[in-house]
Every structure is written in C-alpha cells, then in structure tokens.
Amino acid sequence: MVMERIMRPGLEGVVAAETRLSSVNGQLGELIIGGYPLEEIAGNATFEQMIFLLWNDRLPEESEKDEFEQAVATKRNIPQITIELLKEAAKNQLDVMDALRMAADTLSLVADSDNESAAQTMIAAFPTIIAAYWRLLSDDEPIPPKVELSHAANYLYMLSGEEPSAAHVRALETYLNTVVDHGFNASTFAARTIISTNSDMVSAVVGAIGALKGNLHGGAPGPALDMVFEIGKIENAEPHIRAKLERGERLMGFGHRVYKVRDPRADMLNTAAKQFFIGGEQAELYQLVRDVEQVALRLLAEYKPERKLQTNVEFYTALILHGIGLPTDLFTPTFAIGRVGGWTAHALEHERNHDRIIRPLAQYIGETNRRWDES
Ligand code: ACO
C-alpha cells in the first residue's frame, strides 16, 4: 500500500490513536471522560475514583475504591534524596515545574517495573513533591503526607499544615477531574509517544511535564490571572487588552486548537468558582473576571474575526485555584497533579492495546547536494 504524504503543521486534524479515555468535540463544545459527560462526573467523583475509571473503564465498587485509595496513599512519601534535590533547586529559586520535572525523575528509585504500580507512584508523589518544594522555597520544612486524607485534601494539607474544609477539597477535586484528560493534547501525546517505544512510566511522565510547562499549553493560567489583576478595574479592561492585541500579543486563557466554541471545562470551573466567590470577600474579583472575559471576547472577535477565539479552561482555572487559596506559581503544577492521571491512563492504554510505535514523518526542505570539500 502506498501511503499518501500530507503535511499538517502542528499535526492539526491528524488522528493518531484510538482511545476510550476522553472524547473532545470541538464543534459542539462537548467533553466526555471515561464515558461520562464532563458535567456528570467532574463535580461528583473523587479524584481517586476518576483515576480508577480511566485505568479500568468503570467506576470502582466500594471495596475496590478503599483498596485503590490505600494503594495510592501509601506511595505518597518521596525518597530523602528527592528532598535534597528539591533543597538545591530551592536555593536556585527554580521554577516549580522545573523542580517537579527533576524530582519526578528520581522516582525511578522507588517506582516498580510494572507500569500500573509505577503510575500509582507518580500520581501519589506529585502533590508531595510540589508541596515540599513550595515550602522549601520559603525556607519552611516540608510537611509529611497524611495517609488518612484524600489525595486532594492531603495536597492542601501539605502546603499549609492545616486540614482543608470540605468545600475547598470538593472544589479542588472538581478542578482535578475537569483537567484529568483531554484527548491528544501536547503533553499526553508526548507521554504516549515515549511509552510507545516500550520505554517506562517514569520517562513518559517526565517528558509530559516538560510539554505541559509551556505557556501555549499548561502555563497559561498564571498569566491569565495576572492580566486581570493588572487591569484592576473594568474601565481599564478595553485599553489594556486592545494594547496587548495591537502589540500582537496573545491573551492567555483564550483560543484552543480543537474547541471552536466555548471550552466546556471553562463552564464547569466557572460554576465551581462561583460557589467560592459569590457572597464572599472576593465577590468583586469574580465579577471583574466575568466582565474582563466579555471585553476580551469582544476584542478578539474584532481583531481575529475569522479565528473564533473563545474562553479556554485556563481562564477559569486561574479563578478557581486562586479561590481555594493557591498562589499563581502553583497553578501549572496543580494542573500537572490532575493531568498525570491522563498521562498514565494513556500510557497504560497504549501498553494494553499493544499499539504501534508513534513515528510520523518530516518533510525535508534542506539542501541535498552539498559537497564536503566545498565546506
Ligand atoms: N490571543 C490572541 N490571538 C490568538 C490567541 C489568543 N489567545 N490564540 C490564537 N490567536 C491567533 C494567533 O495569533 C493566530 O493569528 P494569525 O493567524 O492572525 O497569526 C491565530 O489566532 C491562530 O493561532 P494558532 O497559533 O495557529 O492557533 P493554534 O490552534 O495553533 O493555538 C493555542 C492554540 C496555542 C491554545 C492558542 O489559541 C493560544 O496561544 N492561546 C493562548 C494560550 C493559552 O490560553 N493556552 C492554554 C490552552 S488550553 C490548554 O492547553 C490546557
């Protein structure tokens, strides 16, 4: 069979695998995760249930749920050498995502050769690494994990030393579930490409962290909220955003490769954020975010009318994570705590399906006739 060679910059529109994990319908703005519409599952499941669903294509029975929670919770401790590495990173004030990537690599010291067990280690250790590093950055001692707390509650506990309220835990779980998987996004594709070579789970996850970090992917929510803070008052929104677009800058939290209508995850997180802000001390911030979004959408339609640029998940990620008290520098790392569920699920799916190595082509556009003695 002769294969037709078509070049698609950015692999746009290319289908490279079958998956049962999530379905992204960019025209209708629909997201299905593990068979459930996002709106059904995100606000109801615990994060542990969500991971079980992705790995097993069904929700766990009660006894399986307890067993799975225990199995993951007992893998939360990280090696002492990982803490030492984080201390060095903190001395150099490295970005949290860089510290996470470096520390995740050291989990080869404790990860099992069985990929499912290694996936549990990666999921369990992410919050411990991030919380420990965050405290080390301010010269505070890391707080050891508490095995009896849920995954989300334990993360918030390790950051502050205080057990969080049920409302904070629910909001964080809704967020983690909302971002857990999303088709062949760049970081998931990176993870699946790595595992497709018969590499290991730690390598797949470490590669994916690198892909998530960039501000065209997971690095957008911090800058999105910064923009709202810089704007400060709604009357400043139009001149501020117009100036950005005139300079050719992108508005973080808007636009998406697949969604040409509103990202359904933005609505999910808006609903969850609303519960925090309305009637609370920061209700004005919630309203400002809503108003800034309207101005941004109007100006994007004016400057890029043919592009159909809409609000993406990152805009409301910023709001909800700020609402539960996380600093901007932890937005992308917290995204990683959720998305590692999807990376590992894709890696396991690829392995179980015995899928082929991912190996596209490149169109060569260089010289073909250079001579050694002329160089
Ligand atoms: N603000 C202003 N202009 C934009 C934006 C934006 N947010 N997004 C796209 N555009 C413009 C581009 O400048 C380009 O315009 P041009 O053709 O006149 O040069 C056009 O729209 C198409 O842009 P592409 O880069 O080809 O779109 P692509 O599908 O490759 O990119 C992406 C999608 C990376 C998300 C883009 O919309 C973007 O940069 N958004 C801002 C960053 C962001 O919010 N990232 C988070 C995405 S969600 C996630 O990964 C979890």
Side-chain angles (χ1 to χ4, degrees), residues 9-10 12 179 182 185-186 212 214-221 224 245 248-260 263 265 300 303-304 306-310 312-315 317 335 339:
E12 183 161 4
V179 300
H182 202 241
N185 59 87
L212 186 72
N215 71 1
L216 297 189
H217 188 8
L245 293 172
E249 288 178 24
R250 291 180 180 219
L251 303 183
M252 295 296 134
F254 296 88
H256 198 273
R257 170 62 67 81
V258 183
Y259 291 120
K260 299 305 165 205
D263 183 338
R265 300 169 299 172
L300 283 169
Y303 280 79
K304 307 273 175 187
E306 71 294 354
R307 294 292 178 187
K308 296 195 173 71
L309 297 169
Q310 294 290 330
N312 69 42
V313 63
E314 302 288 40
F315 197 67
T317 288
F335 186 0
R339 186 53 64 84

Side-chain angles (χ1 to χ4, degrees), residues 225 227-230 232 277-278 280-292 315-316 318-323:
L225 191 64
M227 182 179 83
V228 174
F229 285 138
E230 278 163 29
F277 288 95
I278 294 300
E281 282 170 15
Q282 298 197 76
E284 276 178 21
L285 175 63
Y286 177 77
Q287 198 48 51
L288 178 63
V289 166
R290 299 282 291 165
D291 294 344
V292 167
F315 197 67
Y316 282 97
L319 187 60
I320 192 159
L321 295 187
H322 177 78

Side-chain angles (χ1 to χ4, degrees), residues 101-119:
R101 192 194 65 246
M102 291 159 65
D105 231 340
T106 67
L107 296 176
S108 287
L109 292 166
V110 286
D112 211 86
S113 58
D114 169 68
N115 274 339
E116 185 163 339
S117 169

